[in-house]
């Protein structure tokens, strides 16, 4: 029973950390412990660490850490790429060493006999998408193609207006941004991905989505396959039969589960740890893929999400200010006009506030042209089409 409760507590704590890290900044969690945990994980812990280092080792140690941070976070470097390759290589090694000998098994048919080759192929495809996303051109805006990108992405005069990049000294097409890490302007800029050591933009968003989806599939397949391996060993070794017949344990899930879990942890702890690791990674990949799939569905980028949020907040404040001014004017006019009998308390209580009638703020995204068109724009970016090349030849 102690082992069972430890696993439950471990799972709940893992879920709390993952939810806090991914979703702690959402408005729904404002003022809650989840928001405070999110702040601690993303900013607070590092800030406390710097203070501790400064108090113990002095300012030179802080400067050394900040220089390492600058190299790892603010400049292009292959650190996370190496970590990714190490993670996928080590995970594959432990899965192969601990579980391939049990395939085929009781629940895994002979179809999986070639798992050594198919799994290696699956990992190879994942590495291929990784390399493709890492080294593909994200859609670099240059003086030679800036006019074509301006034609492909017109200004909406809401979050994008005509201006010049102060670094590249060329006009900034709509939906582009100058990446301070890569030091270049990228069309339809989404974000800079440290794992890829590359920007995610117009030309490689499709590869990035394929990378996320394929790795999510690999993790889920690994969890299911390892689960079938453990279930097969449980059946082949007749563990339930031995527990009920020789140890006299009641044949019910509630009574058998703690003993079965204890046996699995003692005999197949590597597979259990691998399943937990793959489950956590699957949750992260599913969340990230779902978020970006929704962005592709609405033809929005991560960069534009922040811009739209700021613009919508500004519009709400403007509308509220107008409604407040109108309500104040109406109140002054009412005081100067003929006095009316006061409304009842119940009518006053249920009356709508003038701020509620300030009007709903509508997001006017001119780039959202329907799901099919939006998805096709990700699969076939404008700069890869013949019309883009024809525009280039006309401008030249």
């Amino acid at each position: 029973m102690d082992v069972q409760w430890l696993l439950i507590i471990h799972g709940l704590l893992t879920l709390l950390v993952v939810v806090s890290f991914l979703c702690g900044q959402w408005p729904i969690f404002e003022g809650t412990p989840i928001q405070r945990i999110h702040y601690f994980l993303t900013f607070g812990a590092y800030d406390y660490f710097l203070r501790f280092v400064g108090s113990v080792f002095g300012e030179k140690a802080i400067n050394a850490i900040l220089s390492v941070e600058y190299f790892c976070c603010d400049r292009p470097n292959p650190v996370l790429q190496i970590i990714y390759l190490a993670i996928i290589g080590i995970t594959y090694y432990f899965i192969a060493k601990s579980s391939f000998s049990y395939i085929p098994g009781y629940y895994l048919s002979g179809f999986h006999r070639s798992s050594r080759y198919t799994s290696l192929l699956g990992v190879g495809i994942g590495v291929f998408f990784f390399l493709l996303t890492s080294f593909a051109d994200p859609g670099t805006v240059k003086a030679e193609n800036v006019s074509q990108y301006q034609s492909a992405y017109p200004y909406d005069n809401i979050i994008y207006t005509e201006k010049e990049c102060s670094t590249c000294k060329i006009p900034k097409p709509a939906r582009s941004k100058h990446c301070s890490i890569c030091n270049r302007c990228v069309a339809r800029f989404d974000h800079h991905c440290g794992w890829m050591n590359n920007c995610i933009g117009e030309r490689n968003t499709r590869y990035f989505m394929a990378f996320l989806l394929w790795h999510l599939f690999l993790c889920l397949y690994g969890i299911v396959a390892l689960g079938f391996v453990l279930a097969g060993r449980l059946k082949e070794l007749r563990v339930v039969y031995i527990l009920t017949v020789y140890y006299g344990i009641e044949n019910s899930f509630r009574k058998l589960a703690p003993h079965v879990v204890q046996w699995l942890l003692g005999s197949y702890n590597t597979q259990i740890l691998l399943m937990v690791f793959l489950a956590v990674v699957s949750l992260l990949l599913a969340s990230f893929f779902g978020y970006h799939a929704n962005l592709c569905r609405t033809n929005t980028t991560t960069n534009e999400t922040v811009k739209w949020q700021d613009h919508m907040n500004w519009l709400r404040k403007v509308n509220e200010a107008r409604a407040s001014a109108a309500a104040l004017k109406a109140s002054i006019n009412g005081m100067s006009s003929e006095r009316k009998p006061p409304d009842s308390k119940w009518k006053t209580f249920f009356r709508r506030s003038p701020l509620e009638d300030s009007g709903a703020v509508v997001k006017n995204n001119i780039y959202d042209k329907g799901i099919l068109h939006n998805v096709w724009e990700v699969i076939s970016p404008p700069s890869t089409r013949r019309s883009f090349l024809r525009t280039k030849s006309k401008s030249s």
Side-chain angles (χ1 to χ4, degrees):
M1 184 63 70
D2 294 339
V3 176
Q4 184 181 11
W5 280 109
L6 284 175
L7 287 175
I8 293 175
I9 294 172
H10 177 270
L12 291 175
L13 288 176
T14 302
L15 182 63
L16 176 64
V17 171
V18 171
V19 171
S20 301
F21 180 75
L22 294 176
C23 314
Q25 77 279 12
W26 291 3
I28 192 174
F29 295 118
E30 187 174 352
T32 64
I34 292 180
Q35 184 190 40
R36 290 190 284 272
I37 294 174
H38 173 81
Y39 176 80
F40 178 78
L41 292 175
T42 53
F43 300 102
Y46 184 62
D47 184 53
Y48 290 137
F49 173 71
L50 287 179
R51 293 181 183 180
F52 170 77
V53 171
S55 62
V56 175
F57 302 102
E59 188 175 352
K60 289 185 178 180
I62 294 180
N63 293 334
I65 294 175
L66 292 178
S67 63
V68 173
E69 175 192 352
Y70 176 78
F71 172 77
C72 294
C73 302
D74 297 331
R75 302 309 308 159
N77 64 85
V79 173
L80 289 179
Q81 290 176 303
I82 296 172
I83 292 176
Y84 160 79
L85 294 174
I87 289 174
I88 198 169
I90 293 172
T91 303
Y92 178 80
Y93 169 78
F94 279 108
I95 290 177
K97 186 177 180 180
S98 63
S99 304
F100 278 6
S101 59
Y102 302 123
I103 301 175
Y106 191 89
Y107 292 107
L108 292 175
S109 63
F111 173 77
H112 299 272
R113 185 183 297 274
S114 59
S115 58
R116 290 177 176 84
Y117 307 106
T118 55
S119 60
L120 188 60
L121 177 62
V123 172
I125 293 174
V127 173
F128 171 74
F129 283 132
F130 167 76
L131 295 175
L132 197 59
T133 310
S134 299
F135 296 102
D137 177 22
T140 306
V141 181
K142 304 176 183 178
E144 297 80 17
N145 60 11
V146 63
S147 59
Q148 289 75 45
Y149 276 118
Q150 286 179 313
S151 300
Y153 298 112
Y155 298 102
D156 61 355
N157 293 318
I158 301 176
I159 60 174
Y160 292 113
T161 56
E162 190 171 356
K163 60 178 67 173
E164 183 183 89
C165 176
S166 58
T167 305
C168 300
K169 303 302 180 183
I170 59 174
K172 287 184 66 174
R175 315 194 74 183
S176 67
K177 182 183 178 181
H178 184 88
C179 178
S180 59
I181 299 177
C182 296
N183 194 28
R184 58 183 173 181
C185 285
V186 178
R188 199 183 180 276
F189 179 88
D190 189 272
H191 68 286
H192 181 89
C193 182
W195 291 100
M196 306 296 174
N197 194 25
N198 196 9
C199 291
I200 305 302
E202 182 229 10
R203 294 179 70 98
N204 65 347
T205 297
R206 48 186 174 173
Y207 306 140
F208 179 69
M209 295 297 292
F211 168 84
L212 293 176
L213 183 60
W214 184 257
H215 280 73
L216 175 60
F217 167 75
L218 286 181
C219 290
L220 294 176
Y221 177 79
I223 294 171
V224 174
L226 289 173
F228 279 134
V229 166
L230 296 182
R233 298 303 295 164
L234 196 69
K235 193 74 173 180
E236 291 168 352
L237 297 177
R238 306 179 68 187
V239 175
V240 174
Y241 175 79
I242 293 173
L243 289 174
T244 54
V245 174
Y246 291 97
Y247 290 92
I249 299 174
E250 183 182 338
N251 191 6
S252 64
F253 177 81
R254 183 179 179 183
K255 297 294 183 180
L256 285 172
H259 299 280
V260 172
V261 170
Q262 187 175 5
W263 177 79
L264 288 173
L265 288 173
S267 303
Y268 300 97
N269 51 6
T270 302
Q271 287 88 341
I272 296 293
L273 291 174
L274 286 170
M275 289 180 67
V276 172
F277 171 73
L278 292 176
V280 173
V281 175
S282 297
L283 181 61
L284 295 173
L285 288 172
S287 303
F288 208 47
F289 177 79
Y291 170 75
H292 280 279
N294 184 59
L295 291 181
C296 294
R297 180 184 65 86
T298 58
N299 207 340
T300 313
T301 64
T302 302
N303 179 51
E304 291 171 351
T305 301
V306 178
K307 289 179 177 291
W308 275 115
Q309 187 175 7
D310 294 340
H311 178 73
M312 303 288 276
N313 291 337
W314 176 77
L315 281 181
R316 290 189 187 95
K317 292 179 181 178
V318 170
N319 289 344
E320 289 176 1
R322 289 175 179 171
S324 179
L328 180 62
K329 184 178 181 181
S331 177
I332 294 174
N333 293 336
M335 292 174 60
S336 60
S337 61
E338 184 179 344
R339 186 175 181 84
K340 297 180 181 179
D343 295 332
S344 65
K345 293 182 178 180
W346 285 106
K347 188 175 181 180
T348 305
F349 180 78
F350 288 106
R351 179 184 297 163
R352 288 174 59 87
S353 170
L355 297 180
E356 296 180 20
D357 299 326
S358 57
V361 178
V362 180
K363 177 180 175 181
N364 184 22
N365 183 12
I366 67 170
Y367 309 112
D368 184 1
K369 300 178 181 179
I371 296 178
L372 294 179
H373 182 276
N374 297 340
V375 173
W376 180 247
E377 186 172 306
V378 173
I379 297 173
S380 177
S383 63
T384 62
R385 302 173 188 172
R386 293 182 178 179
S387 57
F388 189 89
L389 299 176
R390 285 198 298 267
T391 307
K392 181 177 181 179
S393 61
K394 288 180 182 178
S395 61
S396 58

